[in-house]
Amino acid sequence: MKDIRIALLDMNNNHVNQGFRNIKEISEAFQQSTEENVSIKTFDVRFKNEMPDIEDFDIFISSGGPGDPHREGLEWEDKFAKFLDKVFEHNKFNDDKKYLFLICHSFQLASIHWKLGTINKRKSYSFGVMPIHKTEEGEQEFLFKNLPDPFYGVDSRAYQFIEPDHERFEELGMKIVAIEKFRPHIDLERAVMAVRFSEEIFGTQFHPEANPAGMIENLKDEKNKEAMIENFGMEKYLETIDRIDDEDKIILTQAQILPRFLRFAKKNVLNQIEVTA
């Protein structure tokens, strides 16, 4: 029986992070629910310069993390850039595909690396449960299949991806599948919230791994609480707390996107084995 090998890339730079805990929980739940042997290995990319060899794994999930996504001349940045290119190039020329999911900070790093648009600092830190809108391509995105439009996701970012270079997207065969809420009364560009980088590589600006318990935990941090009140007002903050465990919001998003990605990757990895056997 084929082993499914998962690498989790921890991009938190030694900061304690609720999101990474959630990614591990989702990966372990997948491990428990499947007949195949699933191995999970964690790599501390930014703090320890650890990076998986792509030949050793089938599936990669790269987390969010703090700080500026632009290069600062650190050793791990080159390694991560090469990792992105290796996965992308490997899938172009090989039948045994590698599957990669990029979240928040990782999503920004990839968008900068592939020169897809402007990634800049927001006027203020954004934190909360946000409505996320599907684009036309997003309507066809199978990871969003059972989600309404808009669906809800946890946003936690100081940076944003705006002004996408549509020619560059076209050139690389990439698609924008979700964007920030349309706010005609605010004269700001809508941020890109999810990209289908290739059939095997997907990324989100929001946190599809987040659950209500983690969100409540994050709101104990005064910075997050203040950011939410500043962005949305006290009334909206209280409403979010009230709706945080609604079945049709972040619980639904958490149950759909990453588990669906893992099942899709597993199915294709196993199909490849059968073809080559």
Side-chain angles (χ1 to χ4, degrees):
M1 188 183 285
K2 162 71 179 170
D3 288 356
I4 307 284
R5 304 159 303 169
I6 300 175
L8 304 182
L9 281 65
D10 182 349
M11 304 296 280
N12 287 290
N13 204 16
N14 211 30
H15 290 72
V16 175
N17 183 267
Q18 190 59 44
F20 195 71
R21 194 173 300 150
N22 292 148
I23 291 166
K24 283 176 89 168
E25 284 166 2
I26 290 170
S27 302
E28 284 162 5
F30 169 73
Q31 185 181 40
Q32 301 302 318
S33 70
T34 185
E35 301 167 5
E36 287 73 28
N37 293 324
V38 174
S39 64
I40 302 169
K41 188 166 179 191
T42 297
F43 293 83
D44 188 339
V45 176
R46 292 169 71 185
F47 192 67
K48 294 184 181 167
N49 280 321
E50 295 174 348
M51 189 65 67
D53 184 329
I54 73 157
E55 299 306 324
D56 295 341
F57 297 92
D58 307 297
I59 302 170
F60 306 87
I61 302 175
S62 191
S63 78
D68 187 336
H70 295 91
R71 283 192 172 232
E72 298 172 323
L74 301 168
E75 187 186 336
W76 71 265
E77 293 168 333
D78 268 348
K79 288 184 174 178
F80 190 75
K82 282 177 185 152
F83 164 77
L84 290 173
D85 284 337
K86 273 186 191 166
V87 174
F88 194 74
E89 291 301 312
H90 174 95
N91 288 335
K92 268 192 194 168
F93 302 109
N94 293 277
D95 291 334
D96 65 318
K97 307 298 185 192
K98 304 290 178 180
Y99 293 84
L100 169 60
F101 200 108
L102 300 152
I103 297 169
C104 197
H105 193 80
S106 296
F107 168 80
Q108 292 167 358
L109 291 168
S111 301
I112 292 168
H113 177 67
W114 284 314
K115 301 181 173 66
L116 298 180
T118 302
I119 284 77
N120 65 5
K121 195 160 192 177
R122 285 175 49 88
K123 285 198 166 109
S124 60
Y125 179 70
S126 172
F127 186 84
V129 178
M130 312 283 179
I132 294 158
H133 294 253
K134 300 177 189 180
T135 60
E136 272 183 47
E137 277 96 352
E139 291 290 346
Q140 311 305 315
E141 174 52 59
F142 81 95
L143 292 182
F144 297 164
K145 190 174 173 202
N146 295 331
L147 297 174
D149 188 22
F151 61 94
Y152 288 81
V154 168
D155 201 28
S156 171
R157 62 194 160 107
Y159 288 79
Q160 61 184 355
F161 175 1
I162 56 170
E163 299 166 347
D165 180 340
H166 294 289
E167 282 182 16
R168 181 73 175 148
F169 269 86
E170 190 82 14
E171 180 194 334
L172 294 173
M174 298 178 177
K175 292 173 187 162
I176 297 167
V177 291
I179 46 177
E180 202 172 27
K181 186 182 180 188
F182 182 47
R183 293 175 295 180
H185 58 289
I186 298 175
D187 187 25
L188 291 172
E189 177 123 11
R190 296 162 81 182
V192 174
M193 296 305 278
V195 169
R196 167 61 68 188
F197 294 102
S198 72
E199 202 170 316
E200 303 83 15
I201 305 173
F202 193 83
T204 61
Q205 174 61 74
F206 61 93
H207 287 268
E209 77 279 15
N211 65 6
M215 185 77 182
I216 296 287
E217 198 56 41
N218 280 326
L219 282 171
K220 289 178 184 168
D221 182 332
E222 209 55 37
K223 182 186 81 157
N224 291 334
K225 185 177 175 179
E226 280 169 17
M228 206 163 158
I229 292 167
E230 185 188 331
N231 281 316
F232 303 107
M234 181 57 87
E235 192 182 336
K236 184 74 178 166
Y237 167 76
L238 294 170
E239 181 193 280
T240 300
I241 297 302
D242 184 48
R243 290 159 60 174
I244 213 159
D245 54 2
D246 287 2
E247 294 292 326
D248 63 343
K249 294 193 174 62
I250 63 173
I251 288 177
L252 180 63
T253 301
Q254 192 202 32
Q256 286 296 320
I257 296 179
L258 270 175
R260 194 173 263 270
F261 168 79
L262 286 166
R263 289 195 300 271
F264 168 76
K266 177 188 101 163
K267 183 176 150 218
N268 288 331
V269 168
L270 294 176
N271 283 347
Q272 289 155 18
I273 303 307
E274 284 170 24
V275 168
T276 54

